[in-house]
Amino acid sequence: MARLSVVFCIDVIFIFMAGIYIHVPFCKTRCHYCDFFKSTKVQFRNQFLGQLLKELENRRKFFPESDKIIESVYFGGGTPSLLDVDQLKKVLAVIRKEYSLDNGAELTIEVNPDDLDPDYLEGLKKTGFNRISLGIQSFFDEDLKRMGRRHNADQSRKVIDQTFDAGFKNVGIDLIYGLPWSDQEKFLENLKIMNQYPLKHLSAYHLTIEPGTQFGRDKKRKKLSEIEEEQSEQLFWLLHDEAEKMGFDHYEISNFCRDELYSRHNTSYWIGKSYLGVGPGAHSFDGIRRFWNKSDLHQYLHCGYQKGIGEEILSENDRFNERLMLGLRTKKGIDLFDLKNIHPGLTDRLEKNIQKWIDRDFLMQSGGRIFGSRKGWFLIDGIIEDLFEV
Ligand code: SF4
């Protein structure tokens, strides 16, 4: 079985500091596949902003001493572009005042095509955002309509142009593949259209049909079903091979970048750095403990984040499993030495288990790191589960 000799070279050094994630939980409507926490009560944006600013102020002591410099801020959702530029400015002003924001910090905002116009983009630029993530999902009207997206294919193209015209250089898009009504040819066409733009980042997610979504209900009524595993694997490698030909580095199972413009923010999750998440439903991690705000907009608006906070201290097994899961989904894989440090008691069992997958050509080992082979990367979630310590 052929292996990814170039793809899996170990030449990327990930050294990043802490990050802040802002969850903006509003969407105008619900996309048919989406099970993220969100609310369509957009009329509460101002009230939300007040609570969010308070939360940011109150939690300024969150980060441990060693992780104080904030090198990334990520506005996700929901739909962060439902906040106007002045509201976004207020959030960044509090972060600048209360936290040690690095001068070269990566400041990302996820935006929906139907919210954008040149003035808004210019406002984002002036506010200091330097990375834009556009929720394109597809360049075809049929796909967008069937997924319940609010924009059309013309808008997809137009907003990419407008984003570059506004002076942004680090621009990425999201695409969804594995749509039951689509095929390889159409997905390849999506990639070709994407390649007409000097995009620096691509997040490509396989559609999963989740209960509680419109697609979940359609599946229950037998109106929709996931594509076969074999088709999924073909699409995954089509995506990988085409994106690499287009100059993208497939650095995480769903993420690709050009010119080494990895998502610094997401990378800090994958390497176990601490991060603070604010807003309803947001999660935080201080290196040992995980915290989460309850996914309840009403409670957040009326009682603040403190009422709904959950906390768990990660055991050795939890930290081991988490590092394994996040690390093996990246091209760079995991450092065995790190894993043994997290869980010194596991050495023999772990090595035997890993060796089993190496012998079967699903994993590879080089320079003390373990990573998926071409045969194994698509199946990496199942391999990770087998390696989990329970
Ligand atoms: S805009 Fe994003 S968060 Fe909102 S419903 Fe659609 S996919 Fe979900």
Side-chain angles (χ1 to χ4, degrees), residues 21-31 33-34 36-40 42 45 48 74-84 87-88 109-116 120 133-135 137 149-151:
Y21 173 78
I22 318 280
H23 190 76
V24 182
F26 299 106
C27 295
K28 285 182 200 154
T29 53
R30 295 168 197 275
C31 302
Y33 55 90
C34 176
F36 295 154
F37 171 62
K38 76 263 173 197
S39 164
T40 50
V42 294
R45 278 172 290 185
F48 160 76
Y74 192 104
F75 287 70
T79 315
S81 50
L82 284 176
L83 295 186
D84 63 35
Q87 291 172 318
L88 295 167
I109 181 165
E110 287 178 355
V111 291
N112 266 5
D114 58 312
D115 296 326
L116 298 186
Y120 187 78
S133 176
L134 291 160
Q137 315 310 351
R149 297 291 299 177
R150 294 179 293 278
H151 66 282

Side-chain angles (χ1 to χ4, degrees), residues 23 35 68 147 200 234 264 267 285 304 327 343 365 370 372:
H23 190 76
D35 73 337
K68 281 231 155 137
M147 286 192 282
K200 298 298 184 194
Q234 284 166 1
R264 283 195 229 163
T267 300
F285 179 58
H343 212 323
Q365 179 165 23
I370 306 293

